Amino acid sequence: MSAVESTTATSRLPETISSRLRLPAIAAPMLRVSGVELVKAACQAGVIGAFPTANPRSHEALDDWLTELDETLSENDAPYCANLIMSRPETQKDIEILLRHRTEMVITSVGSPAPVVPALHEAGVFVLADVATMKHVKKAIEAGVDGLVLLTAGAGGNTGWMNPFAFVRAVRAFYDGPIALAGGMSDGVALRAARELGVDLGYIGTKFIATQESLAEPEYKQMLVDSTMDDVLLTQAFTGMNTSFLLPSIEAAGLDPATLDHNADVASAQAQYGGSAYSDKSGPRRWKDIWSAGHSVSGVSDVPATREIIDQTLREFHGDR
């Protein structure tokens, strides 16, 4: 069976997307982690491969990444998906490059999608928007997005704080469009449960950090293997937003996790880690040295190939553990 719809409920996704998925999932876009090799491996294994447009680090590199994806992936592979971080000043130029490559899917995050939806829709791009509150759900719908990514408690990196069961059901009370769910999804059992809840796509991030194809440093991958969800700290100290980071990486940077949000360490950390994820400031930096992970880190036990994770998740999704 090659398509998700052969064994699951009818999808709210466009058939041009759903028919190419082996598994109803997105390999989440992760700063400094999601590179072209991870995206290719995910798409070829039947999962949407996503990456932040910030990751290539230049517009020329973004163009090169997209060219490689366009030339490598076939029409039967799952689509790749670009993540536009709306707070970045480079976003408009990124969009021009994406449209030139006829990119099929975009996820907007950290800001309103309203400024970019018209141009993306004119080019036929399917637009999802990250949302963490009911207020932002309604604003994204008003902006005309095609679907929502619900950020819930337990997601890695910039995260939400709502219970996923309550959040999905509250949104489904008035919204019948596509929903992707982000937050602590570590296996096919969780993905199947999410589908029963009313979700179309699962957002899986942390397990894909610990893959052979990811851009993460070997030490980062090993820390994921060695950690449990007890090692994940929710803090605003490094980004000004609720963000999940690994305690061991914070401690390795010489900071006290217990006091980050309560004393002068906050001002110091925000000054040191503020600005671009690729800041040239001296000392340890968020994303580069302070590493993120979600609650699903408890499901990371090794560093396999991306396809191995997807194949195993598919078996679990269909009830074969």
Side-chain angles (χ1 to χ4, degrees):
M1 295 175 217
S2 60
V4 168
E5 300 320 310
S6 58
T7 55
T8 60
T10 300
S11 175
R12 300 168 187 85
L13 298 168
E15 194 274 338
T16 53
I17 294 174
S18 64
S19 64
R20 293 149 61 194
L21 302 182
R22 292 175 64 224
L23 193 66
I26 298 174
M30 296 172 285
L31 281 168
R32 285 191 170 269
V33 169
S34 303
V36 69
E37 294 304 320
L38 176 56
V39 172
K40 283 194 299 185
C43 294
Q44 290 170 338
V47 161
I48 296 164
F51 68 98
T53 55
N55 279 7
R57 304 201 193 189
S58 72
H59 293 128
E60 292 76 13
L62 174 59
D63 188 63
D64 290 342
W65 279 31
L66 295 173
T67 297
E68 183 172 351
L69 291 171
D70 292 339
E71 292 178 349
T72 304
L73 298 176
S74 76
E75 61 182 12
N76 295 319
D77 291 325
Y80 65 81
C81 179
N83 170 215
L84 294 171
I85 301 172
M86 299 304 296
S87 58
R88 294 178 71 242
E90 299 91 342
T91 294
Q92 190 54 52
K93 178 62 177 177
D94 288 347
I95 291 174
E96 294 174 13
I97 298 171
L98 295 174
L99 295 184
R100 189 163 68 245
H101 283 269
R102 300 180 183 275
T103 300
E104 295 178 72
M105 297 183 67
V106 159
I107 297 167
T108 66
S109 61
V110 196
S112 171
V116 302
V117 167
L120 293 173
H121 276 175
E122 186 176 352
V125 180
F126 185 79
V127 183
L128 296 166
D130 276 4
V131 289
T133 68
M134 295 300 290
K135 174 182 176 181
H136 289 117
V137 165
K138 293 176 180 178
K139 284 181 176 271
I141 294 171
E142 290 171 1
V145 300
D146 300 297
L148 306 169
V149 179
L150 304 188
L151 298 178
T152 69
N158 292 331
T159 185
W161 54 92
M162 293 188 181
N163 176 284
F165 291 95
F167 199 7
V168 171
R169 297 316 299 164
V171 173
R172 275 285 174 243
F174 63 88
Y175 180 69
D176 61 2
I179 288 177
L181 178 64
M185 210 165 297
S186 65
D187 57 29
V189 177
L191 183 57
R192 189 169 69 248
R195 291 280 287 184
E196 289 296 324
L197 195 61
V199 168
D200 300 279
L201 292 166
Y203 223 55
I204 303 175
T206 301
K207 289 191 81 169
F208 287 118
I209 302 174
T211 57
Q212 296 171 15
E213 295 87 353
S214 95
L215 296 175
E217 294 87 347
E219 296 81 7
Y220 185 1
K221 297 177 185 181
Q222 187 58 47
M223 187 178 289
L224 293 170
V225 172
D226 296 337
S227 297
T228 73
M229 67 177 74
D230 285 347
D231 295 306
V232 176
L233 176 70
L234 181 66
T235 177
Q236 295 185 358
F238 302 111
T239 68
M241 298 182 290
N242 285 324
T243 312
S244 297
F245 285 108
L246 283 168
L247 282 166
S249 71
I250 295 171
E251 292 167 340
L255 296 171
D256 181 1
T259 60
L260 274 180
D261 290 324
H262 304 290
N263 61 23
D265 279 351
V266 175
S268 173
Q270 288 179 335
Q272 183 173 21
Y273 298 104
S276 169
Y278 301 108
S279 169
D280 291 328
K281 296 173 189 276
S282 61
R285 291 169 283 169
R286 61 182 183 181
W287 314 120
K288 182 179 184 296
D289 304 292
I290 307 296
W291 296 327
S292 68
H295 291 176
S296 60
V297 70
S298 287
V300 177
S301 58
D302 57 359
V303 184
T306 295
R307 180 173 283 274
E308 292 180 58
I309 287 181
I310 293 170
D311 288 347
Q312 176 63 31
T313 306
L314 183 65
R315 290 191 293 271
E316 295 162 346
F317 183 70
H318 291 303
D320 180 9
R321 303 191 195 185

